[in-house]
Amino acid sequence: MKKNILAVVVLLLTIVSLPSIGNSFIKNSIDERLLELKSFGLQTSKDESISTYLNTSRHFEFLLKDSQVFLNHLKQYSDKQIPPYVNSMLVGVLIGADIKYSNLPFAKAFEIEIYPMKLSPKMSEVLKDNDINFYKYTENFLQNKGVLYHIEYNLLNEDFTGYIKDINEKQTLRDGTNLMLSLENANFKGNGELLAPKELSSKVKELHFDVSLDEKNLNILLSKFKSTSILESENTYSTSVDVQTMLVTLEGTGNDVNISMEKLRANTSSNEEGKSIQFNSKTSIKRLEFSSKLAKFNMKKFNIDVALRGLDKQEYSHFAQLLSQNTSQVSTVSNAAIETSITKLLSKGIVLEIANFSVDEFSRNRDDTIKGFNIKSKFTLKEDKDLAQKRIPSLFVLIPNISIESEIRISKTLYKKLKNDSRILEGFNGYEKEDGDDYTFTLKFADMQASINGTSIN
């Protein structure tokens, strides 16, 4: 009997202490993340907590002390060069974060809200000098959490979901410029570290930006935006973007511009295949219209599907590392290093394949709509171990190693128009092969020999 009572007491004590244990465990996990953030250049300037028996909330304020370290961390996950001026504009930015969680271990996900609280001193000085009222408006906007990320994060499996707070702001500057920014229904979800997730997908119902002064106006509207990114490793990843509509208008400048695009879809990916890397890129646009005072252009069903295969993994990694270390002011030494790396990369051989490059129909200026073209091509640069010694004084040294196979289908109307408007198709004269309303061309080049539709052109 006593043993049973003792067991019950131990069990009850364990249950009662679970929140305390859970709070301690989660606190340690958060503190580990804070140390990680410090290594990225973020310094914790405030850490306040309120705990009850079942729940805990913590408020943090982070000061970006070393923007270069922070940007270097972000560059690991982006192939885009970040402009140098961004560095000075970020130093001293104050970021707030509120975290709420249950003290019961893994009872539910964290609730995290992240929001910029204060501009950097550099940016503040610029705004004060240009427009003190806009500076005060911006400061008030940030202090009221005008830009806010709400995240629900599962510490156990690192899954997260969240949204960006809707924005609907209008402001008039000192010179009379009217600004409008609207962001509606921006949601996201993913897995991994919040600063560098392994998977991330996002949706935005509408993004609208408008700036006007007197008769001049710039208007940008993006609706139904979707994106998905999966990062398995440095050389294995995929990204897709889907935009339902995009409108850009520029008026009152003497050369008004209107751009309208419908259903843009783009996918890029990279995969490791043994000792080589393959890149794939596919883009399609259902409709694109462009008009200005100088020109007008309409296009329907544009597609391009490209693959780059056979890149040596080791040489490509070295080349990518050189580019990441490169700055906007490239030295002679770095130029030479990049040139040498490119030479070694090309000496291993590559294959560029265009599975589809096509436009269904288009019109230009006041011309009638005409049928377009379709191109399929395979470009092969064979391995050349002696290429590095040739130093590549020009691209002509590569020609003996190149082979090309292309299938071109072009409407007769477009073909005749290009012949009349330019000299780009002069080399195809006399080789045309009719197929209904189209001309077709089979182009081959190998071993310094070229042919079109089976006829040598050497």
Side-chain angles (χ1 to χ4, degrees):
M1 183 68 177
K2 292 182 178 179
K3 291 183 178 179
N4 291 337
I5 294 174
L6 181 61
V8 171
V9 170
V10 171
L11 179 60
L12 289 174
L13 288 174
T14 302
I15 293 173
V16 169
S17 63
L18 270 178
S20 177
I21 296 171
N23 186 17
S24 177
F25 174 79
I26 296 173
K27 182 181 182 301
N28 290 337
S29 298
I30 293 175
D31 290 342
E32 288 177 4
R33 294 290 195 277
L34 293 177
L35 288 175
E36 188 176 19
L37 288 176
K38 187 175 181 180
S39 69
F40 300 155
L42 289 165
Q43 176 182 302
T44 305
S45 60
K46 183 179 287 188
D47 181 356
E48 299 175 341
S49 64
I50 300 175
S51 293
T52 62
Y53 177 63
L54 292 176
N55 298 288
T56 298
S57 62
R58 293 179 71 176
H59 170 74
F60 299 96
E61 292 181 9
F62 302 101
L63 194 65
L64 187 53
K65 296 289 289 185
D66 194 329
S67 60
Q68 188 58 57
V69 172
F70 183 71
L71 292 177
N72 287 340
H73 174 69
L74 293 184
K75 285 178 185 178
Q76 298 178 60
Y77 310 98
S78 173
D79 58 356
K80 305 298 183 183
Q81 183 69 33
I82 300 175
Y85 62 82
V86 173
N87 192 336
S88 60
M89 293 300 182
L90 285 178
V91 175
V93 166
L94 187 65
I95 301 170
D98 296 323
I99 301 178
K100 297 179 181 179
Y101 58 88
S102 170
N103 294 335
L104 294 174
F106 315 116
K108 61 180 182 179
F110 284 35
E111 287 188 20
I112 308 171
E113 290 190 343
I114 302 173
Y115 44 92
M117 298 178 63
K118 203 169 186 179
L119 297 172
S120 68
K122 181 76 172 179
M123 179 63 79
S124 296
E125 287 177 14
V126 172
L127 290 184
K128 284 180 182 178
D129 291 342
N130 285 276
D131 192 331
I132 186 65
N133 289 328
F134 185 62
Y135 163 74
K136 292 179 180 178
Y137 161 78
T138 304
E139 286 287 289
N140 183 65
F141 174 69
L142 294 179
Q143 288 171 11
N144 286 290
K145 302 181 181 180
V147 179
L148 182 145
Y149 292 80
H150 178 91
I151 306 165
E152 295 182 9
Y153 188 79
N154 190 311
L155 187 64
L156 184 62
N157 56 21
E158 295 190 322
D159 286 340
F160 61 86
T161 61
Y163 61 84
I164 302 175
K165 179 183 174 182
D166 284 358
I167 298 174
N168 190 6
E169 294 293 321
K170 295 180 181 179
Q171 181 67 12
T172 301
L173 303 184
R174 184 172 60 184
D175 63 359
T177 299
N178 294 304
L179 298 176
M180 190 279 289
L181 176 63
S182 174
L183 177 68
E184 184 179 355
N185 287 358
N187 303 288
F188 56 88
K189 63 180 180 179
N191 174 267
E193 296 179 22
L194 294 178
L195 282 177
K198 299 174 184 176
E199 298 180 16
L200 177 65
S201 60
S202 59
K203 294 181 181 180
V204 177
K205 182 179 181 181
E206 184 175 286
L207 173 64
H208 190 192
F209 175 72
D210 188 280
V211 54
S212 61
L213 175 63
D214 300 328
E215 301 296 325
K216 298 177 182 178
N217 174 255
L218 171 64
N219 184 57
I220 301 173
L221 177 64
L222 192 71
S223 66
K224 294 184 179 179
F225 169 90
K226 298 179 182 178
S227 71
T228 302
S229 298
I230 299 175
L231 178 64
E232 294 182 19
S233 68
E234 184 179 0
N235 296 322
T236 302
Y237 58 85
S238 65
T239 301
S240 65
V241 173
D242 193 330
V243 180
Q244 181 69 24
T245 58
M246 184 179 76
L247 303 172
V248 179
T249 60
L250 179 62
E251 299 175 339
T253 63
N255 184 23
D256 293 352
V257 173
N258 289 275
I259 302 173
S260 173
M261 185 171 62
E262 180 182 352
K263 288 189 178 180
L264 163 69
R265 293 177 178 173
N267 298 276
T268 59
S269 64
S270 172
N271 299 285
E272 294 186 15
E273 296 183 340
K275 295 182 179 181
S276 64
I277 298 174
Q278 174 175 323
F279 292 98
N280 296 276
S281 176
K282 186 175 183 179
T283 302
S284 66
I285 300 174
K286 182 179 180 180
R287 181 184 60 84
L288 175 65
E289 296 182 1
F290 172 87
S291 65
S292 70
K293 185 178 180 180
L294 302 176
K296 184 177 181 180
F297 179 81
N298 296 324
M299 179 177 66
K300 290 183 179 180
K301 293 185 179 180
F302 166 84
N303 292 278
I304 183 165
D305 187 352
V306 180
L308 183 61
R309 296 185 281 108
L311 284 169
D312 182 82
K313 184 167 61 177
Q314 183 176 348
E315 291 298 340
Y316 174 77
S317 296
H318 180 242
F319 172 67
Q321 186 178 15
L322 288 176
L323 288 183
S324 67
Q325 295 172 351
N326 201 8
T327 63
S328 58
Q329 297 180 339
V330 185
S331 66
T332 305
V333 175
S334 63
N335 269 330
I338 291 174
E339 182 180 327
T340 300
S341 179
I342 292 175
T343 304
K344 290 181 178 179
L345 190 60
L346 294 177
S347 70
K348 302 288 185 176
I350 56 173
V351 176
L352 175 64
E353 189 166 1
I354 302 174
N356 182 13
F357 175 38
S358 62
V359 173
D360 268 22
E361 58 181 50
F362 68 93
S363 64
R364 188 183 63 176
N365 297 329
R366 297 182 179 179
D367 295 341
D368 294 332
T369 299
I370 59 177
K371 189 179 175 184
F373 62 88
N374 186 296
I375 299 173
K376 298 178 181 180
S377 187
K378 183 178 181 181
F379 171 99
T380 303
L381 177 65
K382 67 181 181 181
E383 183 178 357
D384 185 352
K385 296 179 181 179
D386 299 325
L387 192 62
Q389 281 70 45
K390 298 176 183 177
R391 304 294 297 175
I392 311 187
S394 71
L395 291 177
F396 291 106
V397 75
L398 298 174
I399 293 178
N401 300 330
I402 292 175
S403 64
I404 301 172
E405 294 182 13
S406 296
E407 297 289 338
I408 303 172
R409 176 178 290 272
I410 182 170
S411 69
K412 292 179 179 178
T413 306
L414 177 58
Y415 183 77
K416 292 174 182 177
K417 188 169 187 61
L418 289 174
K419 281 180 64 177
N420 294 333
D421 294 351
S422 67
R423 302 176 62 183
I424 191 172
L425 295 178
E426 279 189 353
F428 290 84
N429 288 341
Y431 298 97
E432 300 92 338
K433 184 177 179 180
E434 293 189 43
D435 185 2
D437 294 332
D438 303 328
Y439 287 126
T440 63
F441 300 90
T442 299
L443 173 65
K444 293 184 179 181
F445 177 82
D447 300 324
M448 302 297 289
Q449 301 293 317
S451 66
I452 299 178
N453 285 336
T455 302
S456 175
I457 60 173
N458 288 73

